[in-house]
Amino acid sequence: MNHAFCDVLSNLEQSKSIVSQHMDAAALTRVQSEIQQRIADKTLQVMLYGSYNAGKSTLVNALLGTESAVVNDIPTTDSIDCYEWNGYHLLDTPGVNAPIEHENTTNEQIKRTSAMLFVIREGDQDAKDVYERLFDMVKQGKHVFIVLNHQLTNIEDKIASHRQIMTILCQLASQYGISEEQVRDIQIYPMNVKTALTGRLKHSDKLLEHSGYLDFIAAFSDWVQEQETQVRLLEEVKGLIHNLWYTPALESLSYFESDSGKLRTLNDECRQQTAQQNALKIEARSYISHEVTLSKSEVSQILRSSTDQAQFDSRLQSLFSPLYSEMETWVQNQLGQSSSRLLVDLSSESTMTHHDLESVSNPIVDNALSQMRQFVSNEGNLKEALLMGRKLKIPGLKGRWEKTLGQWAGRAAIAIQVVTFFWDTYSAHSEQEKQNQAQRQQAIEVHQAVEQICNIVIRELTKSVSDMIDAFFNAQKGLLENQILAINDSDEQQKQEHHLLQKYANDLDAITL
C-alpha cells in the first residue's frame, strides 16, 4: 500500500480514541470499515447528480449500452444503484427535488464521492437552485462534469445553450466564492440523452453523432481517467474521512464561547495554509521536471563535447542558471503572495520560536534559512510582509543553488567519466565503425548519464524549493497554532479533545503522495 494511505490509516487510529466517545460503537465500526474498504478498493466512483427526472438513469443506460437502470418520471426509490462501466463505478442517485428521504440518500452519497456527473435538463439551466447546488459541490472540492440534456436539433441552439450555462457560471461564481480557474475546470456538453440511448441500442453512429454522444464520450472518458490518479483518490479518501469521521465528532465537541468563532477561523486558516503549501510544492516539482526534461538534448551535447568534469560542470551551470534564477524569483513571489492572502491577524503577542522555522539538513538552503529566520523573527518585518501584502524578499536566497550545481552533478561523476573516457575512442572510429558494438554501447552510456544527471538536478532543485516553502509555511502555521493553543488553554477536557481532534484533522490534510 502507498505510504500516504498508510499514513491515513494511522491518522484514523490516532484519533479513534476521541472519536469513539462521540459516535456510537456500531456507527464507528461501520464508518471505519467503509473508509478502509474505499482505500483498498481504489475503484473510481462517479456519482450522477441532478433532478429526479433530469435523465440520469437514461444517461447510465446510454453509457452501458443496455437498459439496465430503471427509468421513471416519478421518484420511486431512495437507494443508490451501482453499475460497472469501463472499470469504474457509476452511482445512480434518487436525485434532488425529490421526497426528502430520497434527497437525504443523495446528500449522504455526496459526502463519499469526489467525481460528479451533473445532469441538467433543458429548461432548468436558468434555475437558481441548480447553480447553488453546483457551486456548493465545487466549494467542497468536488470535480464536476456537466451534461445538458436537451431536445435541441440544430448546432446553433446547442452552442447557445452551452454558452448560456457558462455565462451564468462566470457571472455567479464570485457571489459563491468560486474562482475563475475553478469555473474553467468545469466541462459542459449538450446531449440529447434519449437519442443517445437509442443510438447505443441500435448501434447507429448517425444517431450517436446527432445526439452529441460521440463528443461527450470522448471528453468524459478523458475526464474520468484524470480523476483516477492516486492524487485524486487520496483527495477523495481525505474528504470522506472529514465528512464521516472528523466533522461529526468535532460538531459534537463544539463549544460556543466568545473565542469559538476566532478558533474556527484560525483552524480554517491552518488548513488553507497547508493546502497552499502542498499546491506550491506540486506546482514547483511539475515545472522543474518539465523544464529539465526539455533540456536533455542540450545536456547530451554538453556531455559529448566536454573533456573533463570541470568543463562539464561549468557548461551545465550555464545551461541551468536561467532555471535557477527563475525558480528563485518564483519562490520569492509565491511566498509573498501567500502571505498577503493570510486571513487572520498575527498579533504582536505571538512570538517566533526556534521551532517556528524547522531546520532542514540540505546544505543548499541552510544559510538562506538562517537569514530568513532572522528576517521573519522581527515583528516589524513579519507584519509588514504578511499584513501589508508586499512581496516577501528572503535574504540570502539569490544564487544559492548555482553554487552547488557541481555537487549535484558530481553525484553522476561515474557516469560522466565513463562517457568522457570512451568518447575519444568512439570519435576516432566513428567514421569506420558506425554500427559497431562500441558505438552502440557509447550511445547507451550517454543516454544513461543524461538521465541520471537530469534526475539529480530535478530531485535536488525540487527538494531545495520544497524546503524553502516548508520553512516559510511552517513559520506561519506555527504562529497560528500558538494562537489556537492560547484560546484552548483550559483544563476543560472538552476543549482539549476538540483541539487535539482538530490537530488530527489538520494532520490528515497535510498527508501527500
Side-chain angles (χ1 to χ4, degrees):
M1 183 184 296
N2 187 289
H3 72 86
F5 293 101
C6 291
D7 292 343
V8 167
L9 292 176
S10 176
N11 180 273
L12 284 179
E13 286 300 318
Q14 288 177 322
S15 58
K16 184 176 179 180
S17 61
I18 299 177
V19 174
S20 63
Q21 299 176 39
H22 305 280
M23 189 182 298
D24 65 76
L28 182 79
T29 301
R30 175 179 53 78
V31 170
Q32 191 170 19
S33 175
E34 180 176 346
I35 293 169
Q36 292 171 339
Q37 183 177 355
R38 186 71 191 94
I39 293 175
D41 184 4
K42 292 186 174 61
T43 301
L44 176 68
Q45 297 178 343
V46 180
M47 174 179 166
L48 283 88
Y49 183 86
S51 298
Y52 64 83
N53 59 352
K56 300 186 301 298
S57 298
T58 305
L59 178 55
V60 168
N61 289 334
L63 286 167
L64 298 177
T66 62
E67 295 185 283
S68 299
V70 177
V71 178
N72 283 302
D73 291 332
I74 299 175
T76 58
T77 179
D78 63 352
S79 65
I80 303 293
D81 296 320
C82 181
Y83 301 92
E84 297 292 330
W85 175 76
N86 289 0
Y88 308 114
H89 291 161
L90 297 176
L91 305 180
D92 190 10
T93 62
V96 295
N97 300 325
I100 188 64
E101 64 273 14
H102 296 189
E103 191 161 340
N104 287 340
T105 300
T106 299
N107 292 336
E108 281 299 311
Q109 186 58 47
I110 291 174
K111 299 177 182 179
R112 296 162 164 80
T113 312
S114 64
M116 317 295 293
L117 182 54
F118 200 128
V119 183
I120 302 176
R121 62 189 170 190
E122 182 185 359
D124 284 350
Q125 60 263 41
D126 292 326
K128 181 180 179 181
D129 69 319
V130 167
Y131 297 97
E132 288 179 345
R133 296 176 187 276
L134 173 61
F135 286 132
D136 183 59
M137 286 185 181
V138 176
K139 290 179 71 172
Q140 293 181 51
K142 311 297 184 183
H143 303 278
V144 180
F145 190 108
I146 296 177
V147 169
L148 174 60
N149 185 12
H150 65 82
Q151 302 296 322
L152 305 174
T153 57
N154 62 69
I155 187 64
E156 290 79 11
D157 290 341
K158 295 175 185 178
I159 293 174
S161 65
H162 179 283
R163 294 194 66 184
Q164 180 184 7
I165 293 180
M166 183 56 67
T167 299
I168 295 174
L169 288 176
C170 294
Q171 290 174 344
L172 296 180
S174 60
Q175 298 179 22
Y176 292 90
I178 303 300
S179 68
E180 291 184 2
E181 290 78 10
Q182 290 173 299
V183 172
R184 285 198 295 266
D185 287 340
I186 300 174
Q187 298 191 50
I188 305 170
Y189 275 80
M191 178 170 54
N192 187 319
V193 175
K194 189 173 182 179
T195 301
L197 173 58
T198 303
R200 288 280 281 156
L201 295 176
K202 294 184 176 181
H203 306 286
S204 170
D205 290 340
K206 185 175 181 179
L207 286 177
L208 291 174
E209 182 177 3
H210 178 72
S211 68
Y213 179 82
L214 297 181
D215 290 336
F216 156 75
I217 196 63
F220 181 63
S221 297
D222 290 341
W223 181 80
V224 168
Q225 291 177 20
E226 181 181 342
Q227 311 309 310
E228 197 183 18
T229 65
Q230 289 288 298
V231 173
R232 289 287 172 86
L233 175 60
L234 178 60
E235 177 185 303
E236 179 176 325
V237 168
K238 290 197 291 187
L240 179 67
I241 294 172
H242 275 298
N243 289 328
L244 303 185
W245 188 262
Y246 283 117
T247 298
L250 286 169
E251 288 177 349
S252 175
L253 278 166
S254 291
Y255 52 92
F256 303 96
E257 296 182 357
S258 59
D259 283 333
S260 62
K262 183 178 181 181
L263 183 65
R264 284 192 293 272
T265 300
L266 288 168
N267 280 316
D268 287 345
E269 183 60 38
C270 265
R271 292 183 62 177
Q272 290 188 32
Q273 289 285 305
T274 299
Q276 291 177 25
Q277 180 179 1
N278 292 337
L280 284 180
K281 290 196 291 184
I282 291 172
E283 183 179 351
R285 180 174 66 235
S286 176
Y287 184 76
I288 291 169
S289 178
H290 177 264
E291 293 299 309
V292 173
T293 299
L294 291 179
S295 302
K296 283 185 178 180
S297 61
E298 295 173 83
V299 173
S300 178
Q301 290 299 322
I302 292 172
L303 188 58
R304 293 173 184 271
S305 60
S306 297
T307 57
D308 55 44
Q309 181 77 42
Q311 187 182 53
F312 173 78
D313 288 348
S314 176
R315 293 179 177 178
L316 196 65
Q317 180 170 315
S318 297
L319 173 63
F320 286 118
S321 285
L323 177 58
Y324 302 150
S325 299
E326 184 177 351
M327 292 310 299
E328 288 169 356
T329 302
W330 183 85
V331 169
Q332 301 269 18
N333 291 341
Q334 291 298 322
L335 297 187
Q337 291 172 17
S338 174
S339 65
S340 70
R341 290 192 295 264
L342 195 64
L343 300 180
V344 296
D345 181 11
L346 302 181
S347 68
S348 57
E349 296 178 0
S350 299
T351 58
M352 300 286 289
T353 70
H354 68 283
H355 296 295
D356 291 331
L357 280 170
E358 295 182 355
S359 61
V360 293
S361 59
N362 192 334
I364 297 165
V365 295
D366 277 348
N367 183 56
L369 287 180
S370 176
Q371 296 186 53
M372 180 179 169
R373 290 189 186 94
Q374 297 175 18
F375 175 74
V376 297
S377 294
N378 182 287
E379 181 69 20
N381 289 342
L382 182 66
K383 291 184 71 65
E384 179 183 24
L386 300 188
L387 303 182
M388 296 182 67
R390 298 181 180 179
K391 290 184 178 179
L392 182 64
K393 298 298 183 183
I394 305 172
L397 179 58
K398 185 66 176 175
R400 291 299 301 170
W401 291 318
E402 294 181 7
K403 299 176 182 178
T404 57
L405 176 61
Q407 298 176 21
W408 295 352
R411 300 184 186 181
I414 295 177
I416 296 169
Q417 289 167 8
V418 167
V419 173
T420 55
F421 178 79
F422 286 106
W423 183 248
D424 288 339
T425 302
Y426 166 70
S427 299
H429 296 281
S430 59
E431 293 298 322
Q432 302 174 7
E433 304 177 18
K434 288 187 179 296
Q435 302 301 324
N436 64 13
Q437 179 64 31
Q439 183 183 17
R440 290 194 293 272
Q441 179 177 339
Q442 177 69 17
I444 293 172
E445 289 164 347
V446 169
H447 173 79
Q448 291 177 340
V450 169
E451 290 294 317
Q452 187 176 357
I453 293 163
C454 289
N455 288 340
I456 290 171
V457 173
I458 291 171
R459 182 175 64 248
E460 296 296 333
L461 183 54
T462 298
K463 186 177 188 305
S464 297
V465 173
S466 296
D467 286 341
M468 193 66 69
I469 292 171
D470 285 342
F472 176 78
F473 277 96
N474 289 343
Q476 293 198 119
K477 290 190 291 184
L479 292 175
L480 293 169
E481 289 171 357
N482 285 343
Q483 292 193 20
I484 292 172
L485 287 172
I487 293 174
N488 284 326
D489 189 16
S490 169
D491 292 334
E492 188 178 344
Q493 181 66 26
Q494 189 182 45
K495 290 185 178 181
Q496 294 178 0
E497 289 183 352
H498 189 283
H499 169 66
L500 184 56
L501 199 60
Q502 186 63 63
K503 179 182 180 301
Y504 288 139
N506 292 342
D507 290 345
L508 176 69
D509 287 327
I511 296 174
T512 58
L513 290 168

